[in-house]
Amino acid sequence: MPKRSSGLLLGLAILLFGAWLRLDQFMIQVVTDDEWHALNQLAAGRTPAGIALSFGFADYSIPLTLLYWIEAGVFGLSELAMRWPMMAAGLLLPALFPLWAWRHCGGRTALLFALLLAVSPLLVNYSRIARPYGLTLLLGYLAHHAFWRYWEGGEGRWRHGAAYGVCAALSAWLHLTSLPFVAAPLLLAGADAVRERRRDGGGGLARLLRLGVPTALAMAALLLPPLLGDPAALLGKSGGDRPTLDTLLGVWYLWLGTPSGPAVLLCLALAVLGWPRLWRAGPLPRSALAGVALTLLLLLLAGPAWVHEPLTFGRYLLPAMILLLLALAAGAAALAESLERHGWGRAALAVLLLPAALLLLDTPLRENLRRPNGNTAHSVFQVDFRSDRPGVKANMARWIPLSPWWESLRYLPAGSVLIAAAPYSNFSPRWDAPRWERLGRQRVIPGFLTGLCVAGRQGELPQDPRFAMRNAVHLGDRRELAARKVGRVVFQKPYRLDLGGGPRIQGADTAHCLEVLRARLGPASYEDAWVAVFDIEARR
């Protein structure tokens, strides 16, 4: 076991590394995909009451959307204002969870666990996007920890009980599928209390009810209004999908954060070796496993949309990933200790380093770190880590035509020109900015056409003081273009797109905007069959 001082220094270095992965280029990230669910509510003028009384057909997090409504009215909603709660959770999680592991599983396990948490692609990604998954993960485990501290009794019992109630209720309100996970310790303790009621005179049941009833009432106060106010919003997302064999295979690659099959098999073997040590470490791992099982049962019964996708399935069961990484760390530590007892000290060190080395060797985060990269929330970086799958990137290369102009930018210094591209699609598989940024080495942000040539578009925000996005620009506002220091405006011309169900012309609704841009910005400095480029930097 490492000495406390050296272990703390190593732990601090790991935390700093994990913070760097999360914060790298954080301020330049474009809002995309499901992050728009909450934005659409605000853009549509929904009131706080309307937000609180429905889960929405496109699932938005009620408390986060209410927070955004407040921020929009006070100082204007920006990308940072949307994402800071998840970033805070993402920075806290690798710091707090290994503290529990150090106390219950030993220093080696805790340090390796901290490293695995720090470099986990899912945890890094969910720290950086305006969706509640990373936040509910932190709150869910804090709820389990607080409950068992309450159940053990002693000084501060009611403080821990209150912490459980707050964390559990807020987690369920942030994302309804976390409800079974946070309810699991109550159910396990309740089963124990029923078995022991004759021996303790029902004292355990009374203690459970004193916490369980207020927690249930708090949850009911938060969850019943949207459940009763708009039941169709929840029912419309249920019953249509189930996980498949491919789902159950692909999720391990996502949770471990690797495209390598051998790495997955080795890590799973070490996790199996380490699980008995976790089982003996106290009630928290057991209640977390029960929570994962209850959540899985809910998914199988409800059949939420897109749950056949490994990414969707994996984020609903994100607490299982924490158990997997902790078991992996415990297994590696147990094997290393066994080797040391037999005089194989160097091999023991290799075993400790091997899991993290394997996962870092081919980590999907490498693409995130490419500079500039303002689109790390895009689906090309998130959907499926398996190397034998064509994925979103290959499909987009097949669907979306590419102008040679983008590669001509490589002769400019990297990151020297900010490009606003239109028309923007908030459905990321139709927004080719990751490829444009990779080829041209220049940052690309959405150029909104709203207010220039259309009254409004899906996936664009109106010009309104409530919205203060830093990584998008309204092309009809010269002052905004100058304030963002946009150097080029690129208009992607309409193209034929066949996604099944017959071909369609992508961008047909905004084809007329090209002439409006010509009238506003002057002749294009470059034009081909696919794009028209306006060099507004040269005309200032």
Side-chain angles (χ1 to χ4, degrees):
M1 182 176 294
K3 294 180 180 179
R4 186 173 183 83
S5 58
S6 60
L8 287 175
L9 287 175
L10 184 55
L12 179 60
I14 290 170
L15 287 179
L16 290 175
F17 181 54
W20 173 70
L21 289 174
R22 287 156 175 76
L23 292 168
D24 179 65
Q25 305 183 85
F26 174 59
M27 297 298 291
I28 68 169
Q29 297 306 308
V30 170
V31 175
T32 188
D33 284 329
D34 290 356
E35 293 181 297
W36 276 85
H37 293 338
L39 279 176
N40 288 334
Q41 299 300 312
L42 301 186
R46 294 287 296 279
T47 63
I51 293 167
L53 291 175
S54 174
F55 289 108
F57 178 74
D59 182 28
Y60 60 86
S61 174
I62 290 174
L64 283 181
T65 308
L66 291 172
L67 172 65
Y68 299 160
W69 186 90
I70 295 170
E71 291 176 327
V74 173
F75 45 73
L77 189 64
S78 66
E79 295 90 349
L80 177 61
M82 292 181 68
R83 291 166 173 155
W84 72 263
M86 280 57 69
M87 178 55 74
L91 294 173
L92 282 172
L93 191 149
L96 296 179
F97 287 16
L99 291 177
W100 181 93
W102 190 291
R103 174 178 293 182
H104 294 87
C105 303
R108 283 180 171 174
T109 297
L111 289 172
L112 180 54
F113 181 43
L115 181 58
L116 295 173
L117 293 174
V119 304
S120 164
L122 277 190
L123 294 184
V124 169
N125 289 337
Y126 289 153
S127 300
R128 296 162 62 87
I129 64 172
R131 294 292 287 164
Y133 315 121
L135 191 53
T136 57
L137 181 65
L138 175 66
L139 290 171
Y141 270 98
L142 289 178
H144 279 252
H145 177 69
F147 178 87
W148 293 114
R149 292 293 301 273
Y150 164 82
W151 195 246
E152 290 165 1
E155 187 178 353
R157 169 190 293 176
W158 290 109
R159 184 172 69 250
H160 292 121
Y164 167 76
V166 169
C167 289
L170 184 54
S171 181
W173 196 31
L174 280 160
H175 203 267
L176 190 58
T177 54
S178 64
L179 176 59
F181 183 73
V182 296
L186 274 175
L187 298 177
L188 286 182
D192 288 339
V194 168
R195 285 195 297 267
E196 298 292 327
R197 66 186 184 280
R198 291 183 180 178
R199 189 177 63 83
D200 66 5
L205 277 174
R207 187 156 40 106
L208 185 71
L209 290 173
R210 283 195 291 271
L211 178 59
V213 170
T215 301
L217 289 174
M219 288 184 176
L222 296 171
L223 299 178
L224 282 179
L227 285 173
L228 299 177
D230 189 6
L234 196 62
L235 293 173
K237 297 190 284 281
S238 301
D241 207 353
R242 295 289 186 276
T244 66
L245 178 60
D246 183 71
T247 312
L248 302 178
L249 291 174
V251 73
W252 301 104
Y253 292 82
L254 285 161
W255 283 340
L256 290 167
T258 178
S260 168
V264 168
L265 291 175
L266 178 62
C267 289
L268 288 178
L270 288 172
V272 170
L273 180 64
W275 180 252
R277 181 174 289 195
L278 255 64
W279 192 259
R280 297 189 298 268
L284 194 153
R286 298 193 291 270
S287 69
L289 182 64
V292 169
L294 288 173
T295 307
L296 176 59
L297 180 62
L298 173 67
L299 295 179
L300 295 176
L301 292 175
W306 297 100
V307 77
H308 71 279
E309 289 285 349
L311 179 62
T312 306
F313 182 76
R315 69 190 180 208
Y316 283 152
L317 290 173
L318 202 56
M321 188 187 76
I322 301 300
L323 292 176
L324 172 63
L325 296 181
L326 181 54
L328 167 56
L335 183 56
E337 291 167 10
S338 177
L339 290 171
E340 283 180 333
R341 286 194 298 270
H342 292 84
W344 293 79
R346 292 183 179 178
L349 180 60
V351 165
L352 281 172
L353 297 177
L354 184 61
L358 281 175
L359 298 181
L360 281 170
L361 187 65
D362 201 14
T363 175
L365 291 176
R366 184 181 293 110
E367 277 292 297
N368 284 32
L369 300 174
R370 172 176 44 77
R371 308 186 78 85
N373 187 351
N375 289 271
T376 60
H378 195 289
S379 55
V380 299
F381 301 113
Q382 312 231 5
V383 169
D384 199 326
F385 296 157
R386 286 175 287 181
S387 56
D388 62 341
R389 299 302 167 108
V392 177
K393 184 185 295 185
N395 287 332
M396 288 175 64
R398 188 172 69 250
W399 297 335
I400 303 176
L402 180 69
S403 168
W405 179 81
W406 290 104
E407 198 158 9
S408 72
L409 296 172
R410 294 185 65 84
Y411 299 102
L412 297 174
S416 61
V417 178
L418 179 61
I419 299 168
Y424 173 63
S425 174
N426 66 347
F427 177 55
S428 66
R430 296 178 191 166
W431 171 245
D432 208 9
R435 184 163 56 152
W436 298 335
E437 288 186 332
R438 177 173 54 82
L439 291 174
R441 302 191 306 159
Q442 310 301 327
R443 188 173 152 219
V444 179
I445 63 172
F448 292 159
L449 298 169
T450 297
L452 173 69
C453 53
V454 293
R457 286 185 73 234
Q458 174 69 26
E460 293 190 2
L461 294 171
Q463 284 189 282
D464 186 318
R466 295 181 304 147
F467 303 109
M469 296 294 160
R470 302 293 187 265
N471 303 313
V473 65
H474 289 89
L475 298 182
D477 189 332
R478 286 192 175 92
R479 289 178 299 177
E480 197 172 322
L481 287 167
R484 299 283 188 276
K485 298 182 179 178
V486 173
R488 309 283 193 282
V489 170
V490 176
F491 185 83
Q492 176 93 22
K493 296 180 180 180
Y495 57 90
R496 181 186 175 94
L497 181 65
D498 191 352
L499 300 180
R504 54 172 292 182
I505 302 301
Q506 180 68 20
D509 60 323
T510 56
H512 66 285
C513 292
L514 179 55
E515 294 307 316
V516 179
L517 283 171
R518 293 187 203 278
R520 178 65 63 93
L521 302 177
S525 58
Y526 173 91
E527 187 165 357
D528 61 20
W530 308 120
V531 300
V533 180
F534 300 88
D535 187 346
I536 61 174
E537 187 176 44
R539 296 170 185 168
R540 287 199 184 111

